[in-house]
Amino acid sequence: MAETEPVKSSKAQDFESVLEGSARGVASFDDNNKSGIERIQHLLHGNPALVPLIVLLMSLAIFGVILGGKLFSPFALTLILQQVAIVGFVGAAQTLVIMTAGIDLSVGAIMVLSSVVMGQFTFRYGFPPEVAVLCGFAVGGLCGFINGTLVARVKLPPFIVTLGMWQIVLATNFLYSANETIRSQDLAEHAPILQFFGEKIKIGGAVFTFGVIAMLLLVFVLNYVLSHTAWGRHVYAVGDDPEAAELSGVSVKKTLISVYVLAGLICALAGWALIGRLGSVSPTAGQNANIESITAVVIGGISLFGGRGSILGMLFGALIVGVFSLGLRLIGTDPQWTYLLIGLLIITAVAIDQWIRKVSS
């Protein structure tokens, strides 16, 4: 005998029709009665890099008017890129960690230690420069692996882990190098590959270094990976809600460890680029890399609470700082004004992030 569907009572049918009508009414209200502010809020929530891009364009326009077009010369614009190249590398590493709702205070120290290892392995131990570079990457990856393991498996807070790693790596750097700087002349004679990222390409009045090109390529590749791969979606999911990510099948521990390892490798790449930028291997370089990377990330609209943001926003944030620094210098103002304005930008960026996050709450 064929089964028949249960006949719903008239009351049940009336109740369902009321619910459907209410749902349609709510949807209609949501779609048609949003204020202009709410629409902007939703737009910025879906496009986190839009705010720093707007600020960057406004900064260029304002300084361009004040300086009478000096800022828009090819040389000045590419000079800004050269100045923020190292911050771009380290900021990319910092972005990956912050997207998982963590923070890495050791990125600058890992960068410098990796560069010191590349130099010392070449001149102290006689390693071929190519092998020394690989050793520097191994050191960066190892530091990242230790950070990731302590955060993911031992469940220690990222702030505490990376603060401790920062101190350990900083001390190791000075003890190992004996505070010795390897001169530019020695590198150029015996290990020119270590200065590779400092080589320049001139296109008209624009001057690009290989370090700038590598940084831009890294940012665009990471932006694609985070936006179009399963690993990138896992990174966002872990930062947004690790428990929900675990329930949906994401291996939170493996994802966290992979993020910290990749961040360590990027820091090693930054160390190699730092040698090219300075022309020498200095254990005292990159003292402000941690703060500068966090500044670029925050101004770039990447949420410190994890799960939201774009690595392109970090690049825009770094460029904003570069525009302010060069613009104020060309105007001839006191350098302290740069710190004052950047500080205001940081606070404003966090306030905007809090406002935009209300969309998802």
Side-chain angles (χ1 to χ4, degrees), residues 37-220:
I37 296 297
E38 289 174 330
R39 292 178 185 276
I40 293 174
Q41 194 176 19
H42 279 267
L43 176 64
L44 297 180
H45 185 269
N47 301 275
L50 191 56
V51 173
L53 176 59
I54 293 172
V55 174
L56 175 61
L57 294 176
M58 290 176 60
S59 303
L60 286 170
I62 293 171
F63 281 110
V65 171
I66 295 174
L67 294 169
K70 291 181 181 178
L71 193 65
F72 294 113
S73 67
F75 177 78
L77 292 175
T78 50
L79 180 60
I80 293 172
L81 283 172
Q82 291 180 42
Q83 291 177 338
V84 304
I86 303 302
V87 176
F89 279 115
V90 182
Q94 190 72 261
T95 297
L96 294 174
V97 175
I98 287 180
M99 281 183 176
T100 64
I103 194 167
D104 194 341
L105 300 178
S106 63
V107 287
I110 294 174
M111 172 186 71
V112 177
L113 179 61
S114 298
S115 70
V116 167
V117 167
M118 293 176 189
Q120 292 294 335
F121 272 48
T122 299
F123 288 91
R124 182 185 296 183
Y125 306 121
F127 278 52
E130 296 81 2
V131 176
V133 168
L134 293 178
C135 291
F137 275 95
V139 168
L142 177 61
C143 292
F145 177 77
I146 295 172
N147 281 338
T149 301
L150 293 176
V151 170
R153 300 195 181 278
V154 187
K155 303 293 185 183
L156 297 179
F159 182 89
I160 301 301
V161 170
T162 58
L163 178 63
M165 180 61 73
W166 172 40
Q167 298 289 345
I168 292 170
V169 173
L170 194 65
T172 302
N173 172 38
F174 285 112
L175 291 172
Y176 175 68
S177 67
N179 206 16
E180 173 187 341
T181 297
I182 301 175
R183 299 180 307 165
S184 175
Q185 296 88 334
D186 295 331
L187 290 176
E189 182 178 354
H190 301 288
I193 191 174
L194 295 182
Q195 296 177 324
F196 170 75
F197 287 114
E199 295 182 16
K200 298 178 180 180
I201 300 176
K202 293 184 178 181
I203 303 176
V207 180
F208 296 92
T209 63
F210 286 139
V212 167
I213 296 171
M215 183 272 291
L216 293 175
L217 286 175
L218 174 68
V219 168
F220 287 119

Side-chain angles (χ1 to χ4, degrees), residues 318-335:
L319 289 172
I320 289 169
V321 176
V323 170
F324 270 78
S325 299
L326 181 61
L328 291 173
R329 192 182 312 152
L330 291 175
I331 292 173
T333 59
D334 191 309

